[in-house]
Amino acid sequence: MNIIIIVLISLGLFFFFGTAVGMLRLPDFYTRSHAAGKGDTLSTALILLGCALFIMHEGHYSGASILVFLKLMSIIVFVFIGSPTASHAFIDAGYETGEKQWSNKKQAKKKP
Amino acid sequence: MIWQFDVILLTLVLVCAVISLSIRDLMASAIVFGAYSFLMCLVWTGMGAVDVAFTEAAVGAGVSTVFFVATIYRTTRQSNYKRKDLFIRSFSAVVVSVVALALFAVIADFPYWGDPFSPVNDYVGSYYITHTMAHSNVPNVVTSVLADYRGFDTMFETCVVFVACIGIYAILRRRKKQAKAEDTAVKHVAHDSLIIRVASQIMVPFMQLFALYVVAHGHHSPGGGFQGGVVLGASVILLALAFNVKTTLKYLSEKSMIAYSAIGVLIFAGTGLLCMFLGGNFLDYSVLSQILPYTDEVMARSHAMLIVEIGVALTVMSAMYGIYLSLATDGHFDQGL
Amino acid sequence: MKELLIANYNYVVVVLIMMIGLWGMLALKNIIKKCIAMAIFQTGIILFYISNIFI
């Protein structure tokens, strides 16, 4: 059981690291918010799942620890409802105010 | 807690504070202030103060950033910097460094970080920790100090929140419509999004239920009046952001907002006056066992703390909602962010 | 001297945060920046209270 918890939390950290790298290195507003919205939600869910399993394992599956496990599961449900909606909200706002998309063509340089 | 985390977080907090004050774009400055607030919330969780971290996460990183963004939306987004500002910046830097040197000379005399025998831990803190269950049967020491041992401070804090809400409302409220179109800093595009509306409709009842749970469970877990009130206010602000302000004003109108904030202060001060009428001192809850059925003195203090926390939550909710409406609609109360 | 700085590191940070907030309130002309500086000052004071009682 400990191995599962360690694997879950390190996968969560790996996805968080990927989110951070994506937010810094991707070229455009839309791609950056895509990385932030998806990676954020998934890594939060994995880390919280690992913590919830750890609490239940340490409490030897008693009533109180199952209650804590259910509360952490409900946090994951609300993060899955709220965080992608927030990403949709600001990408929509960016589209409405006219953010340009990045394309692969080289920009025309102005002659001095 | 792990001291390496605390040291790294405290250094990051300093960096965030400096960056937030030196960015020229005001919207970016408000967002970096939100990040600073989240880092402070983590610092306080690391030191074991979960109640304060809860309040700071909800107020500083959540609602306060919304207030800043609403104000910047209605005014301008740029801050000007001229050459002649350099004089006052360097002069105040000199003044501040003199004060800092004086303070650095003092901190050598303080007890070191984590000293269990410092005067704070020895006299006052240990008295509250050892006597809270005997006096009022409330395990959460933060709530018992806030509502019982230091009830006067909490009452005046609630009054300050009420006065802030009324003050901002009184300054910004306008009655006649402007003839010309106002220009705002950001171009206002009114469009409707199905996803945001449905997701907010799902989230708001759960938020309110959780806020009521936080208020009621404040005796045994981190929580209490302020935290529950801020989450309640944030749920109504979410409704105002997802739908428009007119729809939210149908649910919770402007008159009821003012009335609820006054009723909250009335509940708190009224409990104190009731204790005085029954023969004890002001806010001495143990004499309430005469009118509450089947309670002795200890349980009367516990129940009176719950009543007082409900008053605080009501005032804080109405104040958050009222300040958001005044700022976001610029006083007109018809169309918001 | 240096071990004093490391043992009282939280007080050093508290003084620095309060001074950053105070400088912001005195020097910056924009009112929103002044409000942000006041909030920074306030969190510094709360940090002082909490780090005092920490064991």
Side-chain angles (χ1 to χ4, degrees):
Chain A
M1 190 63 157
N2 277 335
I3 307 289
I4 303 178
I5 296 172
I6 292 178
V7 162
L8 277 174
I9 294 190
S10 24
L11 264 183
L13 279 177
F14 172 68
F15 281 120
F16 242 139
F17 182 67
T19 304
V21 166
M23 277 180 68
L24 287 174
R25 289 287 299 167
L26 286 172
D28 190 19
F29 165 71
Y30 297 107
T31 45
R32 277 197 295 260
S33 0
H34 184 239
K38 283 198 176 172
D40 199 8
T41 319
L42 180 65
S43 36
T44 308
L46 284 174
I47 291 182
L48 279 176
L49 189 60
C51 290
L53 283 174
F54 176 72
I55 295 270
M56 209 166 64
H57 187 60
E58 285 292 308
H60 300 293
Y61 302 92
S62 64
S65 58
I66 292 199
L67 192 61
V68 175
F69 175 77
L70 286 175
K71 283 184 189 173
L72 283 172
M73 284 296 125
S74 58
I75 296 182
I76 295 182
V77 168
F78 288 119
V79 165
F80 260 93
I81 295 178
S83 176
T85 311
S87 308
H88 165 79
F90 67 80
I91 294 182
D92 214 11
Y95 180 68
E96 292 286 336
T97 57
E99 287 279 337
K100 294 192 187 30
Q101 298 178 0
W102 177 81
S103 68
N104 213 356
K105 306 187 187 33
K106 297 222 186 304
Q107 311 287 340
K109 290 221 191 321
K110 290 199 177 64
K111 295 262 191 277
Chain B
M1 295 293 150
I2 309 174
W3 65 268
Q4 286 93 341
F5 273 159
D6 281 335
V7 166
I8 294 178
L9 277 176
L10 285 172
T11 319
L12 275 178
V13 153
L14 279 173
V15 168
C16 263
V18 170
I19 289 179
S20 165
L21 288 177
S22 58
I23 290 187
R24 206 176 285 189
D25 186 10
L26 286 181
M27 191 77 88
S29 190
I31 303 289
V32 175
F33 170 69
Y36 164 82
S37 236
F38 262 128
L39 284 174
M40 277 308 248
C41 164
L42 282 179
V43 167
W44 292 334
T45 314
M47 292 200 207
V50 186
D51 288 56
V52 184
F54 194 157
T55 315
E56 173 72 18
V59 169
V63 176
S64 197
T65 311
V66 169
F67 288 164
F68 277 128
V69 167
T71 313
I72 292 172
Y73 176 75
R74 286 290 170 182
T75 56
T76 173
R77 200 177 152 169
Q78 59 186 3
S79 69
N80 301 320
Y81 172 69
K82 306 187 186 47
R83 270 295 295 267
K84 60 182 169 71
D85 291 338
L86 194 61
F87 169 67
I88 194 167
R89 284 194 187 195
S90 39
F91 176 67
S92 34
V94 165
V95 167
V96 156
S97 359
V98 167
V99 176
L101 279 175
L103 283 174
F104 276 136
V106 170
I107 66 174
D109 293 332
F110 277 178
Y112 68 91
W113 190 20
D115 187 11
F117 296 112
S118 63
V120 182
N121 279 332
D122 233 357
Y123 297 118
V124 180
S126 55
Y127 176 80
Y128 288 149
I129 294 177
T130 47
H131 285 97
T132 174
M133 282 300 283
H135 280 167
S136 55
N137 203 20
V138 167
N140 189 9
V141 188
V142 175
T143 304
S144 86
V145 167
L146 202 66
D148 192 8
Y149 291 120
R150 293 281 185 250
F152 273 95
D153 300 332
T154 311
M155 188 181 83
F156 284 121
E157 205 170 318
T158 316
C159 294
V160 164
V161 169
F162 169 65
V163 165
C165 169
I166 294 294
I168 293 183
Y169 176 78
I171 291 178
L172 285 180
R173 183 70 168 106
R174 290 189 251 193
R175 300 278 165 184
K176 59 176 168 50
K177 297 225 176 287
Q178 301 267 353
K180 62 175 172 59
E182 305 178 1
D183 56 327
T184 54
V186 180
K187 192 165 57 112
H188 179 75
V189 180
H191 65 282
D192 210 9
S193 170
L194 179 69
I195 299 179
I196 300 177
R197 267 191 289 133
V198 170
S200 311
Q201 272 173 337
I202 295 178
M203 293 269 294
V204 165
F206 287 109
M207 278 174 82
Q208 296 191 334
L209 191 64
F210 177 68
L212 290 175
Y213 163 76
V214 161
V215 171
H217 217 244
H219 290 213
H220 301 277
S221 71
F226 286 104
Q227 289 89 333
V230 173
V231 178
L232 270 177
S235 75
V236 190
I237 291 180
L238 176 64
L239 213 57
L241 280 172
F243 297 81
N244 49 353
V245 172
K246 277 205 168 63
T247 317
T248 319
L249 278 176
K250 275 203 279 271
Y251 287 130
L252 189 64
S253 72
E254 169 186 341
K255 281 195 174 51
S256 45
M257 179 263 296
I258 301 177
Y260 284 152
S261 53
I263 286 176
V265 181
L266 183 68
I267 289 178
F268 203 136
T271 314
L273 274 179
L274 191 62
C275 300
M276 226 162 64
F277 288 152
L278 286 175
N281 296 318
F282 187 68
L283 286 178
D284 184 12
Y285 301 132
S286 50
V287 300
L288 282 178
S289 59
Q290 300 167 16
I291 60 166
L292 291 172
Y294 302 120
T295 52
D296 51 343
E297 307 235 318
V298 170
M299 288 312 290
R301 282 170 88 144
S302 179
H303 293 320
M305 279 186 348
L306 183 62
I307 296 174
V308 152
E309 295 278 350
I310 291 175
V312 170
L314 208 54
T315 299
V316 171
M317 172 190 90
S318 326
M320 293 288 153
Y321 181 51
I323 295 178
Y324 171 74
L325 279 183
S326 312
L327 286 176
T329 63
D330 204 14
H332 294 295
F333 278 64
D334 55 358
Q335 134 186 332
L337 283 179
Chain C
M1 175 65 188
K2 209 160 82 91
E3 56 273 357
L4 208 81
L5 202 81
I6 296 176
N8 289 359
Y9 183 65
N10 63 326
Y11 298 119
V12 170
V13 170
V14 160
V15 169
L16 282 175
I17 291 180
M18 289 206 300
M19 289 306 115
I20 288 173
L22 189 61
W23 177 82
M25 279 200 280
L26 288 174
L28 298 169
K29 288 181 64 163
N30 201 344
I31 288 190
I32 294 199
K33 290 269 182 72
K34 279 192 210 271
C35 281
I36 293 180
M38 189 168 74
I40 291 177
F41 201 167
Q42 168 183 321
T43 44
I45 293 180
I46 302 181
L47 180 66
F48 177 65
Y49 289 154
I50 293 187
S51 62
N52 253 340
I53 201 91
F54 176 62
I55 294 183

